[in-house]
Amino acid sequence: MSGGRLLTERHLEIFVALAEEEHFGFAAQRVGITQPPLSQGLRRLETLLGVRLFDRTRGVTLTEEGVLLLPHARRALAALTELRQAGARERSDGRRLRVGLAHEVPAHVAAAIAAATTQAPEHHRLSVLTAPTATLLTETAAGRLDIAVIRHPSVLHSLAAGPVVLLPTWFLRPVDDSGGPRRRPGHGPGHLPVAVRPREEAPAAYDLFVDTLASRGRRVETVPVSDELAGLALVAAGQAVMVTADRMLTADGVERAEALDPPLPLRLRVVWDSRRPDHETTGRTAQLLVRELARQAAQ
């Protein structure tokens, strides 16, 4: 679109000022221009919209079309003002650190990671995205995330990564009123399906988990769940078992035992893009998160 056919903020300012002042001279003074360019701007706006906004035969009054369009012009100006204010806040508050966390990262670890970012003086604001590992890898590689904590193993492509950290996990299974394992009809206590997130979220990590269970001679049947709360609901209903790294996740009718036979640790890793122009700053912050993740694993 050529410059002469571009609807600008100045066009909207002229429209609103003239509608409220009902006088070309006063409106021009309010907008900060002289009357001739104000009249010219109004004509261009009317041409762009294809309607006549003002009736000039009896002073300066809005036409029916002008009355209908005025609220839209005011909202557009307000939105532009909010946009500038948001930009100003971003500049004044410093650089935002964008961190991604895999859904499986337990709440206490997520909180510790967020707190650790306060030690990075280069970053003053934090935004956090929780998403599947596959999504986090894509977003980090595209530059829409600075750092991510993902499940391992995963294909990292060109991303830099810290060491693999193992978090302890607990095995959750349903129990009946007597404290014994609750059985699903037609199944023994060890043959309830395992509630897991969908394989496509982290294929390699999913396969390692299932293969580890199968290595002990267990017949592995899985049921996909959207999150751990949905999995816990299935466990409490006697329909599944689940492995979690969340220390606090429990419910009535659910038994917790540390997952040691076989060991099923949650394998996590911090990743970032070392090719970015600010890779040194991002790398230092990533190392802070690596150390915090290791500290949480040792507790």
Side-chain angles (χ1 to χ4, degrees), residues 4 16 41 46 53 73 76 96 102 132 152 157 162 164 175 196 205 215 221 262 299:
V16 173
E46 290 179 325
L53 298 173
R96 182 187 295 271
H152 174 81
H157 300 295
V164 178
V175 293
V196 293
S215 68
E221 176 187 352
Q299 289 184 353

Side-chain angles (χ1 to χ4, degrees), residues 165-250:
V165 175
L166 308 183
L167 291 183
T169 59
W170 287 264
F171 201 76
L172 307 185
R173 69 174 187 173
V175 293
D176 59 23
D177 293 338
S178 65
R182 202 184 320 168
R183 304 185 180 202
R184 192 173 67 171
H187 292 73
H191 293 93
L192 287 173
V194 183
V196 293
R197 296 187 66 86
R199 181 181 183 275
E200 58 267 22
E201 294 189 358
Y206 175 99
D207 291 345
L208 176 60
F209 175 81
V210 172
D211 289 347
T212 302
L213 283 176
S215 68
R216 297 303 175 92
R218 177 190 174 97
R219 183 175 65 84
V220 181
E221 176 187 352
T222 62
V223 54
V225 292
S226 58
D227 53 48
E228 288 198 333
L229 289 180
L232 180 64
L234 288 181
V235 177
Q239 299 298 306
V241 295
M242 187 173 72
V243 175
T244 179
D246 191 330
R247 300 171 178 170
M248 306 303 294
L249 191 65
T250 190

